[in-house]
Amino acid sequence: MNAQPVRTAAPRTGLGEGPRLDAASATLSWVDITSGRLWLAGVRPDAPPGDLLAAPRLLLGLPGNLGCAVRAGEGEDWLLGHGAAVLRWRPGTDPVPVLGLEPDEGRAHLNDGAVAPDGRFWIGSMSAVKPLRPWGRLHAVDAGRTPPTAAVLHDGLLASNGIGWSPDGSRAYVVDSGHRVVHRLRQDGRGGLIPDGPALEVAGGVPDGLTVDDEGGVWVALWDGAAVVRFDAEGAERDRIPFPCSRPTACALVGTRLVVTTARVEGEEASGWTYAVDVGVGGPAARRAALAPDGPHGPAVPPDRGGTS
């Protein structure tokens, strides 16, 4: 593929991550993890890649790391992965704790997340200790219940990262950046996940965030790989798009434009910006998480062991 990434109007970030297209509002959101910031911009899918994002604005700033943010319900609510807990937030209000998912933020903290076909918020955690330990877990949060509940779907991860699903929803893709693989998984009928084919081993960088297109192709950003790579549904590499900076972090499709966030690297003037590139194939907008009506959340329910693999 000869397409060239073009810088968008999004501001420079320290560690841009988690771009999510919301169809209802025609906006793209993303986080700057290390600054605890949530950003939002309008989208113009038919514009040239460099003009894809319009009027970016800062929505929220929190102390500490903001691992990810997804829209929830039919209004203006969000679910946030912050530290070791999931928060619920609506503009103009203070964030409200929903569930604590990791018992010790100094051991493991939340990272990337996405909304599954059934409306649950899947969010992974990663070891906070280096060298990385197998303390990361993949959680499924059901914020549509009162009180909300959570289950552990998968554990033993070093650094849970990008999450996506095949077009029919039968297969989940979950990155473990620590092991440099993309797991292909399916539900086992008991609430857990089991392998659905061998994990994808990614060459030339560390797999980070991902998105899945309408043809079942899996786009994976390569940290320290200066590229985004596309695998087909069978797991074969089909495309590799070079980037002008070493650390692409995550990607999302807006029409046929692939939006790619990056991390700032000292000495790399092209790093930390958000890029767009026309890849000739579209993908679905992000789902919104199920959300219970307004009102007290009730006591937090500790995660249930839903099965591991």
Side-chain angles (χ1 to χ4, degrees), residues 247-294:
R247 291 182 170 175
T249 57
C251 48
L253 282 158
V254 178
T256 61
R257 276 52 184 255
L258 189 73
V259 178
V260 181
T261 52
T262 69
R264 190 180 305 199
V265 178
E266 185 175 356
E268 291 186 9
E269 291 300 320
S271 69
W273 302 102
T274 298
Y275 293 86
V277 56
D278 197 327
V279 295
V281 61
R287 303 177 187 89
R288 290 191 173 206
L291 192 65
D294 287 340

mmCIF file of all heavy atoms in Angstrom, residues 247-294:
data_model
loop_
_atom_site.group_PDB
_atom_site.id
_atom_site.type_symbol
_atom_site.label_atom_id
_atom_site.label_comp_id
_atom_site.label_asym_id
_atom_site.label_seq_id
_atom_site.Cartn_x
_atom_site.Cartn_y
_atom_site.Cartn_z
ATOM 1 N N ARG A 247 6.584 5.355 17.262
ATOM 2 C CA ARG A 247 5.626 4.756 18.183
ATOM 3 C C ARG A 247 4.166 5.045 17.848
ATOM 4 O O ARG A 247 3.472 5.755 18.581
ATOM 5 C CB ARG A 247 5.939 5.186 19.615
ATOM 6 C CG ARG A 247 7.236 4.575 20.116
ATOM 7 C CD ARG A 247 7.553 4.947 21.546
ATOM 8 N NE ARG A 247 8.679 4.145 22.027
ATOM 9 C CZ ARG A 247 9.264 4.302 23.212
ATOM 10 N NH1 ARG A 247 8.828 5.254 24.046
ATOM 11 N NH2 ARG A 247 10.269 3.519 23.563
ATOM 12 N N PRO A 248 3.630 4.491 16.752
ATOM 13 C CA PRO A 248 2.180 4.459 16.591
ATOM 14 C C PRO A 248 1.569 3.651 17.739
ATOM 15 O O PRO A 248 2.137 2.648 18.174
ATOM 16 C CB PRO A 248 1.987 3.748 15.246
ATOM 17 C CG PRO A 248 3.291 3.917 14.533
ATOM 18 C CD PRO A 248 4.331 3.897 15.606
ATOM 19 N N THR A 249 0.421 4.097 18.240
ATOM 20 C CA THR A 249 -0.134 3.477 19.446
ATOM 21 C C THR A 249 -1.485 2.809 19.258
ATOM 22 O O THR A 249 -1.764 1.798 19.905
ATOM 23 C CB THR A 249 -0.273 4.522 20.561
ATOM 24 O OG1 THR A 249 -1.094 5.607 20.080
ATOM 25 C CG2 THR A 249 1.082 5.058 20.987
ATOM 26 N N ALA A 250 -2.352 3.365 18.420
ATOM 27 C CA ALA A 250 -3.712 2.824 18.292
ATOM 28 C C ALA A 250 -4.333 3.371 17.022
ATOM 29 O O ALA A 250 -3.848 4.346 16.436
ATOM 30 C CB ALA A 250 -4.556 3.191 19.510
ATOM 31 N N CYS A 251 -5.440 2.749 16.590
ATOM 32 C CA CYS A 251 -6.054 3.159 15.329
ATOM 33 C C CYS A 251 -7.563 2.931 15.355
ATOM 34 O O CYS A 251 -8.081 2.129 16.122
ATOM 35 C CB CYS A 251 -5.418 2.419 14.157
ATOM 36 S SG CYS A 251 -5.266 0.628 14.374
ATOM 37 N N ALA A 252 -8.252 3.679 14.483
ATOM 38 C CA ALA A 252 -9.699 3.549 14.303
ATOM 39 C C ALA A 252 -10.025 3.945 12.876
ATOM 40 O O ALA A 252 -9.312 4.753 12.264
ATOM 41 C CB ALA A 252 -10.455 4.443 15.284
ATOM 42 N N LEU A 253 -11.105 3.400 12.341
ATOM 43 C CA LEU A 253 -11.526 3.723 10.987
ATOM 44 C C LEU A 253 -12.652 4.764 11.015
ATOM 45 O O LEU A 253 -13.622 4.621 11.762
ATOM 46 C CB LEU A 253 -11.986 2.471 10.251
ATOM 47 C CG LEU A 253 -10.844 1.588 9.745
ATOM 48 C CD1 LEU A 253 -11.312 0.166 9.511
ATOM 49 C CD2 LEU A 253 -10.238 2.171 8.461
ATOM 50 N N VAL A 254 -12.486 5.799 10.188
ATOM 51 C CA VAL A 254 -13.522 6.806 9.958
ATOM 52 C C VAL A 254 -13.771 6.800 8.465
ATOM 53 O O VAL A 254 -12.972 7.336 7.692
ATOM 54 C CB VAL A 254 -13.084 8.201 10.442
ATOM 55 C CG1 VAL A 254 -14.173 9.220 10.149
ATOM 56 C CG2 VAL A 254 -12.752 8.177 11.926
ATOM 57 N N GLY A 255 -14.856 6.151 8.032
ATOM 58 C CA GLY A 255 -15.000 5.872 6.614
ATOM 59 C C GLY A 255 -13.862 4.963 6.198
ATOM 60 O O GLY A 255 -13.590 3.943 6.840
ATOM 61 N N THR A 256 -13.169 5.338 5.125
ATOM 62 C CA THR A 256 -12.017 4.536 4.690
ATOM 63 C C THR A 256 -10.701 5.136 5.172
ATOM 64 O O THR A 256 -9.634 4.737 4.707
ATOM 65 C CB THR A 256 -11.980 4.415 3.160
ATOM 66 O OG1 THR A 256 -11.857 5.725 2.595
ATOM 67 C CG2 THR A 256 -13.237 3.732 2.647
ATOM 68 N N ARG A 257 -10.784 6.092 6.107
ATOM 69 C CA ARG A 257 -9.577 6.703 6.655
ATOM 70 C C ARG A 257 -9.205 6.033 7.963
ATOM 71 O O ARG A 257 -10.040 5.915 8.876
ATOM 72 C CB ARG A 257 -9.790 8.200 6.892
ATOM 73 C CG ARG A 257 -9.568 9.099 5.679
ATOM 74 C CD ARG A 257 -10.329 8.680 4.445
ATOM 75 N NE ARG A 257 -10.015 9.520 3.295
ATOM 76 C CZ ARG A 257 -10.821 10.442 2.812
ATOM 77 N NH1 ARG A 257 -11.998 10.643 3.370
ATOM 78 N NH2 ARG A 257 -10.455 11.147 1.752
ATOM 79 N N LEU A 258 -7.979 5.588 8.055
ATOM 80 C CA LEU A 258 -7.467 5.014 9.289
ATOM 81 C C LEU A 258 -6.841 6.146 10.100
ATOM 82 O O LEU A 258 -5.893 6.795 9.640
ATOM 83 C CB LEU A 258 -6.431 3.938 8.983
ATOM 84 C CG LEU A 258 -5.956 3.098 10.173
ATOM 85 C CD1 LEU A 258 -7.042 2.133 10.618
ATOM 86 C CD2 LEU A 258 -4.682 2.336 9.823
ATOM 87 N N VAL A 259 -7.386 6.383 11.281
ATOM 88 C CA VAL A 259 -6.854 7.399 12.187
ATOM 89 C C VAL A 259 -5.896 6.706 13.154
ATOM 90 O O VAL A 259 -6.257 5.694 13.768
ATOM 91 C CB VAL A 259 -7.985 8.096 12.961
ATOM 92 C CG1 VAL A 259 -7.413 9.114 13.947
ATOM 93 C CG2 VAL A 259 -8.949 8.772 11.995
ATOM 94 N N VAL A 260 -4.701 7.254 13.302
ATOM 95 C CA VAL A 260 -3.659 6.604 14.095
ATOM 96 C C VAL A 260 -3.080 7.609 15.091
ATOM 97 O O VAL A 260 -2.573 8.664 14.693
ATOM 98 C CB VAL A 260 -2.538 6.047 13.199
ATOM 99 C CG1 VAL A 260 -1.467 5.351 14.042
ATOM 100 C CG2 VAL A 260 -3.111 5.078 12.161
ATOM 101 N N THR A 261 -3.167 7.268 16.380
ATOM 102 C CA THR A 261 -2.517 8.072 17.416
ATOM 103 C C THR A 261 -1.082 7.599 17.595
ATOM 104 O O THR A 261 -0.727 6.464 17.253
ATOM 105 C CB THR A 261 -3.269 7.945 18.744
ATOM 106 O OG1 THR A 261 -3.442 6.552 19.067
ATOM 107 C CG2 THR A 261 -4.638 8.607 18.673
ATOM 108 N N THR A 262 -0.250 8.479 18.165
ATOM 109 C CA THR A 262 1.156 8.134 18.377
ATOM 110 C C THR A 262 1.616 8.675 19.725
ATOM 111 O O THR A 262 0.941 9.494 20.355
ATOM 112 C CB THR A 262 2.062 8.712 17.262
ATOM 113 O OG1 THR A 262 2.127 10.135 17.374
ATOM 114 C CG2 THR A 262 1.549 8.342 15.877
ATOM 115 N N ALA A 263 2.779 8.228 20.163
ATOM 116 C CA ALA A 263 3.390 8.689 21.407
ATOM 117 C C ALA A 263 4.561 9.601 21.100
ATOM 118 O O ALA A 263 5.298 9.388 20.132
ATOM 119 C CB ALA A 263 3.867 7.501 22.238
ATOM 120 N N ARG A 264 4.738 10.619 21.942
ATOM 121 C CA ARG A 264 5.845 11.541 21.751
ATOM 122 C C ARG A 264 7.155 10.879 22.157
ATOM 123 O O ARG A 264 7.241 10.234 23.200
ATOM 124 C CB ARG A 264 5.638 12.813 22.569
ATOM 125 C CG ARG A 264 6.645 13.902 22.226
ATOM 126 C CD ARG A 264 6.439 15.168 23.036
ATOM 127 N NE ARG A 264 5.101 15.700 22.918
ATOM 128 C CZ ARG A 264 4.783 16.967 23.218
ATOM 129 N NH1 ARG A 264 5.720 17.795 23.641
ATOM 130 N NH2 ARG A 264 3.534 17.372 23.112
ATOM 131 N N VAL A 265 8.171 11.038 21.335
ATOM 132 C CA VAL A 265 9.507 10.514 21.583
ATOM 133 C C VAL A 265 10.494 11.664 21.452
ATOM 134 O O VAL A 265 10.457 12.413 20.466
ATOM 135 C CB VAL A 265 9.866 9.387 20.588
ATOM 136 C CG1 VAL A 265 11.289 8.881 20.840
ATOM 137 C CG2 VAL A 265 8.868 8.239 20.693
ATOM 138 N N GLU A 266 11.363 11.821 22.423
ATOM 139 C CA GLU A 266 12.326 12.909 22.392
ATOM 140 C C GLU A 266 13.174 12.829 21.126
ATOM 141 O O GLU A 266 13.687 11.770 20.755
ATOM 142 C CB GLU A 266 13.229 12.844 23.626
ATOM 143 C CG GLU A 266 14.185 14.019 23.743
ATOM 144 C CD GLU A 266 14.983 13.993 25.033
ATOM 145 O OE1 GLU A 266 14.738 13.088 25.874
ATOM 146 O OE2 GLU A 266 15.856 14.871 25.194
ATOM 147 N N GLY A 267 13.285 13.955 20.450
ATOM 148 C CA GLY A 267 14.074 14.018 19.230
ATOM 149 C C GLY A 267 13.317 13.676 17.967
ATOM 150 O O GLY A 267 13.869 13.824 16.872
ATOM 151 N N GLU A 268 12.047 13.224 18.091
ATOM 152 C CA GLU A 268 11.227 12.898 16.919
ATOM 153 C C GLU A 268 10.145 13.966 16.760
ATOM 154 O O GLU A 268 9.111 13.931 17.454
ATOM 155 C CB GLU A 268 10.575 11.522 17.063
ATOM 156 C CG GLU A 268 11.537 10.363 17.008
ATOM 157 C CD GLU A 268 10.815 9.008 17.002
ATOM 158 O OE1 GLU A 268 9.577 8.989 16.875
ATOM 159 O OE2 GLU A 268 11.497 7.983 17.133
ATOM 160 N N GLU A 269 10.357 14.902 15.858
ATOM 161 C CA GLU A 269 9.388 15.991 15.677
ATOM 162 C C GLU A 269 8.049 15.485 15.152
ATOM 163 O O GLU A 269 7.017 16.114 15.355
ATOM 164 C CB GLU A 269 9.967 17.041 14.718
ATOM 165 C CG GLU A 269 11.136 17.809 15.292
ATOM 166 C CD GLU A 269 10.761 18.557 16.562
ATOM 167 O OE1 GLU A 269 9.650 19.126 16.610
ATOM 168 O OE2 GLU A 269 11.569 18.556 17.511
ATOM 169 N N ALA A 270 8.053 14.344 14.473
ATOM 170 C CA ALA A 270 6.804 13.803 13.916
ATOM 171 C C ALA A 270 6.024 12.981 14.927
ATOM 172 O O ALA A 270 4.935 12.490 14.616
ATOM 173 C CB ALA A 270 7.117 12.949 12.689
ATOM 174 N N SER A 271 6.550 12.819 16.122
ATOM 175 C CA SER A 271 5.885 11.963 17.118
ATOM 176 C C SER A 271 4.880 12.740 17.958
ATOM 177 O O SER A 271 4.972 13.957 18.104
ATOM 178 C CB SER A 271 6.934 11.326 18.025
ATOM 179 O OG SER A 271 7.548 12.303 18.861
ATOM 180 N N GLY A 272 3.915 12.006 18.519
ATOM 181 C CA GLY A 272 2.915 12.595 19.391
ATOM 182 C C GLY A 272 1.701 13.144 18.673
ATOM 183 O O GLY A 272 0.715 13.513 19.318
ATOM 184 N N TRP A 273 1.735 13.197 17.351
ATOM 185 C CA TRP A 273 0.610 13.714 16.579
ATOM 186 C C TRP A 273 -0.354 12.583 16.203
ATOM 187 O O TRP A 273 -0.018 11.402 16.304
ATOM 188 C CB TRP A 273 1.116 14.397 15.311
ATOM 189 C CG TRP A 273 2.060 15.522 15.571
ATOM 190 C CD1 TRP A 273 3.417 15.503 15.464
ATOM 191 C CD2 TRP A 273 1.717 16.838 16.019
ATOM 192 N NE1 TRP A 273 3.954 16.716 15.807
ATOM 193 C CE2 TRP A 273 2.931 17.570 16.148
ATOM 194 C CE3 TRP A 273 0.508 17.482 16.313
ATOM 195 C CZ2 TRP A 273 2.962 18.890 16.563
ATOM 196 C CZ3 TRP A 273 0.547 18.803 16.717
ATOM 197 C CH2 TRP A 273 1.753 19.498 16.846
ATOM 198 N N THR A 274 -1.537 12.967 15.756
ATOM 199 C CA THR A 274 -2.531 12.011 15.268
ATOM 200 C C THR A 274 -2.599 12.125 13.750
ATOM 201 O O THR A 274 -2.710 13.236 13.208
ATOM 202 C CB THR A 274 -3.908 12.293 15.888
ATOM 203 O OG1 THR A 274 -3.818 12.129 17.306
ATOM 204 C CG2 THR A 274 -4.963 11.339 15.347
ATOM 205 N N TYR A 275 -2.529 10.981 13.083
ATOM 206 C CA TYR A 275 -2.461 10.934 11.627
ATOM 207 C C TYR A 275 -3.700 10.260 11.037
ATOM 208 O O TYR A 275 -4.432 9.541 11.732
ATOM 209 C CB TYR A 275 -1.218 10.150 11.193
ATOM 210 C CG TYR A 275 0.085 10.824 11.540
ATOM 211 C CD1 TYR A 275 0.675 10.657 12.790
ATOM 212 C CD2 TYR A 275 0.735 11.630 10.605
ATOM 213 C CE1 TYR A 275 1.876 11.286 13.106
ATOM 214 C CE2 TYR A 275 1.935 12.255 10.913
ATOM 215 C CZ TYR A 275 2.496 12.079 12.168
ATOM 216 O OH TYR A 275 3.673 12.703 12.487
ATOM 217 N N ALA A 276 -3.918 10.495 9.745
ATOM 218 C CA ALA A 276 -4.962 9.794 9.000
ATOM 219 C C ALA A 276 -4.395 9.354 7.663
ATOM 220 O O ALA A 276 -3.558 10.044 7.068
ATOM 221 C CB ALA A 276 -6.190 10.677 8.793
ATOM 222 N N VAL A 277 -4.853 8.212 7.198
ATOM 223 C CA VAL A 277 -4.393 7.676 5.919
ATOM 224 C C VAL A 277 -5.545 6.912 5.282
ATOM 225 O O VAL A 277 -6.302 6.211 5.965
ATOM 226 C CB VAL A 277 -3.152 6.761 6.120
ATOM 227 C CG1 VAL A 277 -3.430 5.650 7.101
ATOM 228 C CG2 VAL A 277 -2.668 6.193 4.798
ATOM 229 N N ASP A 278 -5.737 7.079 3.974
ATOM 230 C CA ASP A 278 -6.817 6.383 3.270
ATOM 231 C C ASP A 278 -6.366 4.962 2.961
ATOM 232 O O ASP A 278 -5.367 4.757 2.276
ATOM 233 C CB ASP A 278 -7.162 7.121 1.978
ATOM 234 C CG ASP A 278 -8.521 6.701 1.422
ATOM 235 O OD1 ASP A 278 -8.891 5.520 1.594
ATOM 236 O OD2 ASP A 278 -9.216 7.543 0.832
ATOM 237 N N VAL A 279 -7.116 3.974 3.490
ATOM 238 C CA VAL A 279 -6.732 2.568 3.321
ATOM 239 C C VAL A 279 -7.692 1.796 2.420
ATOM 240 O O VAL A 279 -7.508 0.601 2.201
ATOM 241 C CB VAL A 279 -6.610 1.872 4.694
ATOM 242 C CG1 VAL A 279 -5.470 2.484 5.493
ATOM 243 C CG2 VAL A 279 -7.919 1.941 5.481
ATOM 244 N N GLY A 280 -8.740 2.466 1.909
ATOM 245 C CA GLY A 280 -9.604 1.840 0.926
ATOM 246 C C GLY A 280 -10.620 0.847 1.458
ATOM 247 O O GLY A 280 -11.309 0.189 0.676
ATOM 248 N N VAL A 281 -10.739 0.715 2.770
ATOM 249 C CA VAL A 281 -11.731 -0.183 3.353
ATOM 250 C C VAL A 281 -12.275 0.479 4.613
ATOM 251 O O VAL A 281 -11.540 1.160 5.332
ATOM 252 C CB VAL A 281 -11.112 -1.565 3.678
ATOM 253 C CG1 VAL A 281 -9.979 -1.454 4.685
ATOM 254 C CG2 VAL A 281 -12.171 -2.546 4.181
ATOM 255 N N GLY A 282 -13.574 0.309 4.848
ATOM 256 C CA GLY A 282 -14.205 0.922 6.005
ATOM 257 C C GLY A 282 -14.313 -0.018 7.179
ATOM 258 O O GLY A 282 -13.905 -1.185 7.123
ATOM 259 N N GLY A 283 -14.868 0.515 8.252
ATOM 260 C CA GLY A 283 -15.064 -0.281 9.457
ATOM 261 C C GLY A 283 -16.181 0.317 10.288
ATOM 262 O O GLY A 283 -16.594 1.464 10.070
ATOM 263 N N PRO A 284 -16.688 -0.431 11.244
ATOM 264 C CA PRO A 284 -17.815 0.050 12.041
ATOM 265 C C PRO A 284 -17.394 1.112 13.044
ATOM 266 O O PRO A 284 -16.232 1.170 13.467
ATOM 267 C CB PRO A 284 -18.291 -1.215 12.764
ATOM 268 C CG PRO A 284 -17.045 -2.043 12.901
ATOM 269 C CD PRO A 284 -16.254 -1.780 11.644
ATOM 270 N N ALA A 285 -18.344 1.962 13.420
ATOM 271 C CA ALA A 285 -18.114 2.888 14.523
ATOM 272 C C ALA A 285 -18.036 2.100 15.828
ATOM 273 O O ALA A 285 -18.448 0.936 15.911
ATOM 274 C CB ALA A 285 -19.246 3.909 14.597
ATOM 275 N N ALA A 286 -17.495 2.740 16.847
ATOM 276 C CA ALA A 286 -17.424 2.097 18.159
ATOM 277 C C ALA A 286 -18.832 1.944 18.744
ATOM 278 O O ALA A 286 -19.705 2.788 18.528
ATOM 279 C CB ALA A 286 -16.558 2.925 19.097
ATOM 280 N N ARG A 287 -19.044 0.864 19.465
ATOM 281 C CA ARG A 287 -20.312 0.678 20.164
ATOM 282 C C ARG A 287 -20.328 1.513 21.444
ATOM 283 O O ARG A 287 -19.290 1.834 22.008
ATOM 284 C CB ARG A 287 -20.516 -0.798 20.529
ATOM 285 C CG ARG A 287 -20.475 -1.747 19.351
ATOM 286 C CD ARG A 287 -20.606 -3.173 19.818
ATOM 287 N NE ARG A 287 -20.414 -4.111 18.725
ATOM 288 C CZ ARG A 287 -19.240 -4.615 18.349
ATOM 289 N NH1 ARG A 287 -18.141 -4.252 18.996
ATOM 290 N NH2 ARG A 287 -19.157 -5.447 17.344
ATOM 291 N N ARG A 288 -21.534 1.818 21.895
ATOM 292 C CA ARG A 288 -21.705 2.444 23.200
ATOM 293 C C ARG A 288 -21.986 1.365 24.235
ATOM 294 O O ARG A 288 -22.708 0.393 23.967
ATOM 295 C CB ARG A 288 -22.839 3.456 23.182
ATOM 296 C CG ARG A 288 -22.522 4.707 22.366
ATOM 297 C CD ARG A 288 -23.548 5.782 22.600
ATOM 298 N NE ARG A 288 -23.179 7.033 21.957
ATOM 299 C CZ ARG A 288 -23.591 8.223 22.375
ATOM 300 N NH1 ARG A 288 -24.390 8.315 23.443
ATOM 301 N NH2 ARG A 288 -23.215 9.325 21.752
ATOM 302 N N ALA A 289 -21.434 1.550 25.417
ATOM 303 C CA ALA A 289 -21.629 0.568 26.485
ATOM 304 C C ALA A 289 -23.053 0.653 27.034
ATOM 305 O O ALA A 289 -23.656 1.731 27.094
ATOM 306 C CB ALA A 289 -20.631 0.816 27.613
ATOM 307 N N ALA A 290 -23.580 -0.494 27.442
ATOM 308 C CA ALA A 290 -24.853 -0.508 28.155
ATOM 309 C C ALA A 290 -24.695 0.275 29.449
ATOM 310 O O ALA A 290 -23.650 0.237 30.098
ATOM 311 C CB ALA A 290 -25.277 -1.943 28.448
ATOM 312 N N LEU A 291 -25.759 0.988 29.837
ATOM 313 C CA LEU A 291 -25.671 1.841 31.018
ATOM 314 C C LEU A 291 -27.003 1.859 31.735
ATOM 315 O O LEU A 291 -28.057 2.054 31.117
ATOM 316 C CB LEU A 291 -25.283 3.262 30.608
ATOM 317 C CG LEU A 291 -24.868 4.213 31.713
ATOM 318 C CD1 LEU A 291 -23.576 3.744 32.370
ATOM 319 C CD2 LEU A 291 -24.683 5.624 31.160
ATOM 320 N N ALA A 292 -26.959 1.640 33.045
ATOM 321 C CA ALA A 292 -28.176 1.697 33.854
ATOM 322 C C ALA A 292 -28.674 3.136 33.917
ATOM 323 O O ALA A 292 -27.901 4.083 33.737
ATOM 324 C CB ALA A 292 -27.885 1.166 35.250
ATOM 325 N N PRO A 293 -29.968 3.345 34.203
ATOM 326 C CA PRO A 293 -30.495 4.704 34.328
ATOM 327 C C PRO A 293 -29.780 5.471 35.430
ATOM 328 O O PRO A 293 -29.119 4.896 36.295
ATOM 329 C CB PRO A 293 -31.975 4.480 34.679
ATOM 330 C CG PRO A 293 -32.279 3.105 34.206
ATOM 331 C CD PRO A 293 -31.004 2.324 34.361
ATOM 332 N N ASP A 294 -29.948 6.800 35.391
ATOM 333 C CA ASP A 294 -29.353 7.641 36.422
ATOM 334 C C ASP A 294 -29.837 7.215 37.795
ATOM 335 O O ASP A 294 -30.953 6.725 37.976
ATOM 336 C CB ASP A 294 -29.728 9.110 36.206
ATOM 337 C CG ASP A 294 -28.994 9.705 35.034
ATOM 338 O OD1 ASP A 294 -27.967 9.139 34.641
ATOM 339 O OD2 ASP A 294 -29.456 10.734 34.514
#
